[in-house]
Amino acid sequence: METGDIALASVDLASLESLFDALSDVAFFVKDRDGRYLSVNTTMVRRCGLREKADIVGKTALEVHPRPLAQAYMAQDRQVIDQGVAIRKHLELHLYPTRSHGWCLTNKTPLRDANGTIIGLAGTSQDLGLPGDQNPVYGQIANIADHIRAHYADNVSMEELARRAGLSLARVERLFQKVFHYSPRQLLLQTRLSAAMAMIESGSQASIADIAYACGYTDHSAFSRQFKAHTGMSPVQYRAHCHEPGGNS
């Protein structure tokens, strides 16, 4: 058994499962570094159209989900595990056992051992109760969110994204607030700061100014202000914290 497996095995996953078993609209899961399910709740079992948790545990997404969906989930997993970047409120369609589609908000976060090494991930997927065929506008919102996450380093124009979706900016902002509980601009800020934190945590030797630029900031001072407001530390202090004994890396 590898060190990461030992660390995950020491976690009381059964207690976590019991908490999430009570939530009928939230699927919960824990995976190891190779993407194998280590723990799931009963909602996750039902969503996959299976009978028992044992039908999922030890398997990968490819073994329990349709291939197109599984490949998307696995790409997310690699982002979380390889880059240490958490995925927050990712709006996406899921395929249910009835073959119907529904909208869900997915969250995934890396799991680290005492040395800061990423050994797996934990995640949830909340059913929004929005059938895919009855809410096509949510596909447009999901596309806007995906564009923001993929192009955060660029000069992102919210007005242009709304125009391409055929929606007014005011409606896009209302829908974002309804689904994500924050605005498109707040998503952009969150994505940029998360990317900067991941770069610092990775041990990158790039200067703070270069990290700011790589994450879409043209104003170093604005980056530092927003970073401190988000983390409680300046980028320099966060770097020192991450690389001191007991830090994240």
Side-chain angles (χ1 to χ4, degrees), residues 166-183:
L167 302 170
S168 69
L169 180 58
R171 189 174 187 201
V172 168
E173 290 177 339
R174 285 196 300 272
L175 288 167
F176 261 73
Q177 288 290 349
K178 179 178 180 180
V179 175
F180 300 113
H181 302 294
Y182 48 64
S183 71

Side-chain angles (χ1 to χ4, degrees), residues 9-132:
S10 67
V11 177
D12 187 0
L13 295 178
S15 294
L16 290 176
E17 284 181 20
S18 66
L19 287 174
F20 284 96
D21 279 341
L23 303 178
S24 61
D25 62 342
V26 176
F28 163 77
F29 49 88
V30 175
K31 299 181 184 180
D32 65 16
R33 280 194 60 88
D34 296 321
R36 294 186 296 260
Y37 289 99
L38 299 179
S39 176
V40 297
N41 70 340
T42 53
T43 301
M44 183 71 180
V45 175
R46 289 197 303 270
R47 184 177 287 183
C48 294
L50 300 172
R51 291 179 175 273
E52 306 289 342
K53 293 178 180 180
D55 295 330
I56 299 179
V57 172
K59 296 180 179 179
T60 67
L62 277 173
E63 296 174 277
V64 297
H65 297 289
R67 177 170 288 273
L69 294 180
Q71 290 174 331
Y73 302 158
M74 291 169 69
Q76 289 178 355
D77 294 349
R78 291 330 313 170
Q79 176 184 339
V80 175
I81 293 171
D82 295 341
Q83 302 176 31
V85 177
I87 293 174
R88 299 183 180 91
K89 294 185 178 180
H90 189 274
L91 181 63
E92 58 191 3
L93 275 176
H94 280 255
L95 182 65
Y96 296 104
T98 58
R99 313 313 294 173
S100 63
H101 291 81
W103 289 102
C104 299
L105 279 181
T106 295
N107 297 275
K108 295 182 180 181
T109 190
L111 296 177
R112 301 176 185 270
D113 63 16
N115 297 318
T117 302
I118 297 175
I119 56 176
L121 65 83
T124 60
S125 179
Q126 181 181 6
D127 183 357
L128 296 180
L130 301 169

